[in-house]
Amino acid sequence: MNNPTTTAAVSANAASDTAPTAAANTPYDRFRALAHDEWQAAVTHRFVRELVADQLPDDVLRDYLIQDNQFSFDFLSLLGQALASADTMPAKNRLARQLGFIANDEDAYFQDRFKQFAVPQAEIDHPQLTPSAQGFRQLYRSTLETRSYADALIVLTVAESLYLDWAELQTEHGTHMPKLAQNRGWVDVHRGEDFTEWVAFLIGELNRVADPDDPEQRSRFEQAVHYELGFFDDAFAGRD
């Protein structure tokens, strides 16, 4: 078994635009290497570059958040599944704390933006899902059905560590932050000491229980990265 990744190590790895080196051999490193090209395309995507530069059109952010809010519903379900299937009490405690954060801080950001953009409640509750949002829903629900802690960790770790990666990369570790509240708020919930510690926990748990030689786990990791990239692509669909 591998030792949990430290917070410092995660912070150093975030915003890296290179593939894991040949010497890197943790499960997380090996999973990342499988999806390197799509990972890099996601963390350098036009969406995150324009968001951090305060150049993202309001309608793009609005529609993206409506879709992401639907994804959050399934994310919470999967986080609950990870809590239920975790095999140690420290892991259960940490997962439980994160459930509380998402239900409060992150949800507050969504509600503020929906009010700002005057999004009708019917559109919040029942949007037409983009292709990647549909793919995410299928991936999350199939992962729930496995009742596997390792499988849940794979999908959760992709979601959280990829967002930490782009947030640190695009803001140059917080030295170039967006000024608009709608953009800065989205960056704030995906970087910083607390979020970095959370990602370090996920990676450490993944390194402890996941098997990068398992073809189903490899496929699950690659699918998650693929849909993350597609989610950003979908935000601009039909607008260019």
Side-chain angles (χ1 to χ4, degrees):
M1 292 183 181
N2 298 282
N3 292 327
T5 305
T6 64
T7 300
V10 174
S11 185
N13 186 56
S16 170
D17 60 358
T18 60
T21 66
N25 60 2
T26 69
Y28 178 71
D29 292 329
R30 292 176 61 191
F31 283 126
R32 277 280 303 268
L34 292 171
H36 173 261
D37 290 349
E38 289 200 321
W39 188 287
Q40 290 308 127
V43 301
T44 59
H45 197 277
R46 171 186 175 187
F47 181 92
V48 296
R49 288 186 284 108
E50 291 185 8
L51 182 141
V52 171
D54 283 330
Q55 295 175 349
L56 190 68
D58 285 355
D59 62 329
V60 173
L61 180 61
R62 173 193 183 278
D63 291 352
Y64 164 87
L65 291 175
I66 291 170
Q67 296 291 316
D68 198 270
N69 187 57
Q70 290 293 308
F71 158 71
S72 296
F73 179 91
D74 295 312
F75 184 93
L76 280 171
S77 297
L78 190 59
L79 191 54
Q81 157 63 14
L83 172 59
S85 58
D87 57 346
T88 70
M89 187 56 70
K92 286 182 180 292
N93 286 334
R94 184 61 188 88
L95 291 160
R97 291 202 306 274
Q98 196 65 19
L99 276 168
F101 167 79
I102 294 172
N104 291 288
D105 295 50
E106 190 163 324
D107 184 65
Y109 171 83
F110 278 109
Q111 299 310 316
D112 288 346
R113 299 291 77 75
F114 293 152
K115 182 177 180 180
Q116 175 187 347
F117 297 136
V119 182
Q121 191 62 45
E123 191 174 1
I124 295 171
D125 294 339
H126 305 290
Q128 181 176 348
L129 297 181
T130 66
S132 292
Q134 293 176 33
F136 260 134
R137 175 151 289 176
Q138 182 177 1
L139 175 64
Y140 272 58
R141 292 183 178 181
S142 68
T143 304
L144 277 168
E145 290 173 359
T146 70
R147 299 294 188 265
S148 163
Y149 185 44
D151 286 346
L153 281 169
I154 285 168
V155 179
L156 293 171
T157 302
V158 169
E160 301 291 64
S161 65
L162 187 146
Y163 267 59
L164 174 64
D165 207 357
W166 74 249
E168 292 290 356
L169 175 65
Q170 298 303 326
T171 67
E172 298 181 35
H173 298 283
T175 61
H176 292 83
M177 295 288 288
K179 294 180 173 59
L180 294 176
Q182 65 199 52
N183 299 329
R184 179 158 188 147
W186 196 235
V187 172
D188 282 342
V189 296
H190 293 111
R191 67 168 303 277
E193 184 176 351
D194 290 343
F195 192 71
T196 300
E197 181 275 326
W198 162 239
V199 172
F201 162 77
L202 289 174
I203 293 175
E205 287 293 280
L206 183 145
N207 284 340
R208 183 173 69 84
V209 303
D211 179 7
D213 292 321
D214 183 319
E216 291 188 6
Q217 292 186 15
R218 290 160 64 99
S219 175
R220 198 173 299 279
F221 191 99
E222 290 179 290
Q223 285 182 63
V225 175
H226 177 74
Y227 289 131
E228 291 288 359
L229 174 59
F231 208 74
F232 290 145
D233 287 339
D234 287 351
F236 293 97
R239 288 186 164 94
D240 295 327

